[in-house]
Amino acid sequence: MVSISEDPTTNENTSLEKPEMSYEAKCSLTIPIAKPLATKKLSKKLYKCCKIATKAKSIRRGTKAVGKSIRKGEKGFVIIAGDISPIDVISHFPILCEEQKVPYVYVPARSDLGAAIGANTPCSVLLILKGEEYKDKYKECIKGIKELPNIYS
């Protein structure tokens, strides 16, 4: 029989938590088409709006649900994660949004997007629908998205 003795000095840094990456580090990992990319300040506003919209059940999550909602004509704004691989999963969303005149923006990390809506899994794309409970935050986000430089005009 083998006895295992625990040495308290060896267990200091064995935490399973990953260190939080900076915004700049997350931006460096984004895909080449991730434009317009939200600023750090706008990203925080978007995440807060996501959290409130989730509680109000005014959110569509995932590529299939968001694509279907946009094609049906539901209005809101789209948040796309910028670190999706393969890129083909989300490459059609900017074109779809522009055809339907739905504002869209990229954020650096899908894990942050998933955490913003209270999910344990990362999220690649969200559609935030207009709601009365959070109309001030919604308008702030729309204003912030429209102030970002448009690469196509």
Side-chain angles (χ1 to χ4, degrees), residues 72-145:
K72 281 185 174 181
E74 291 186 11
K75 294 298 178 185
F77 64 88
V78 176
I79 305 172
I80 307 168
D83 62 347
I84 300 297
S85 178
I87 199 171
D88 298 339
V89 174
I90 54 145
S91 60
H92 64 286
F93 279 106
I95 297 162
L96 191 61
C97 290
E98 287 171 9
E99 285 175 353
Q100 298 290 333
K101 295 183 177 35
V102 175
Y104 68 95
V105 67
Y106 286 88
V107 291
R110 62 186 175 153
S111 57
D112 292 344
L113 198 54
I117 61 170
N120 293 332
T121 57
C123 183
S124 58
V125 64
L126 289 176
L127 172 65
I128 308 294
L129 303 171
K130 195 170 186 175
E132 289 298 317
E133 299 88 5
Y134 53 95
K135 67 180 177 181
D136 294 335
K137 293 259 187 222
Y138 181 87
K139 286 180 182 178
E140 279 182 36
C141 292
I142 292 287
K143 184 182 173 197
I145 292 170

Side-chain angles (χ1 to χ4, degrees), residues 3-99:
S3 66
I4 300 174
S5 64
E6 287 191 29
D7 186 7
T9 58
T10 60
N11 291 336
E12 288 177 4
N13 294 326
T14 57
S15 174
L16 295 176
E17 293 181 24
K18 294 179 183 176
E20 186 66 28
M21 289 177 67
S22 69
Y23 177 81
E24 291 76 21
K26 289 176 184 176
C27 287
S28 68
L29 299 174
T30 58
I31 55 180
I33 66 164
K35 291 177 181 51
L37 187 64
T39 61
K40 188 175 185 177
K41 188 176 178 181
L42 180 59
S43 293
K44 287 184 180 182
K45 286 181 184 178
L46 292 168
Y47 296 147
K48 286 179 184 176
C49 189
C50 288
K51 194 170 196 169
I52 297 167
T54 302
K55 289 179 183 173
K57 302 202 188 250
S58 298
I59 197 169
R60 301 291 180 264
R61 174 184 183 214
T63 55
K64 191 173 180 181
V66 172
K68 185 177 178 183
S69 296
I70 292 172
R71 282 188 207 95
K72 281 185 174 181
E74 291 186 11
K75 294 298 178 185
F77 64 88
V78 176
I79 305 172
I80 307 168
D83 62 347
I84 300 297
S85 178
I87 199 171
D88 298 339
V89 174
I90 54 145
S91 60
H92 64 286
F93 279 106
I95 297 162
L96 191 61
C97 290
E98 287 171 9
E99 285 175 353

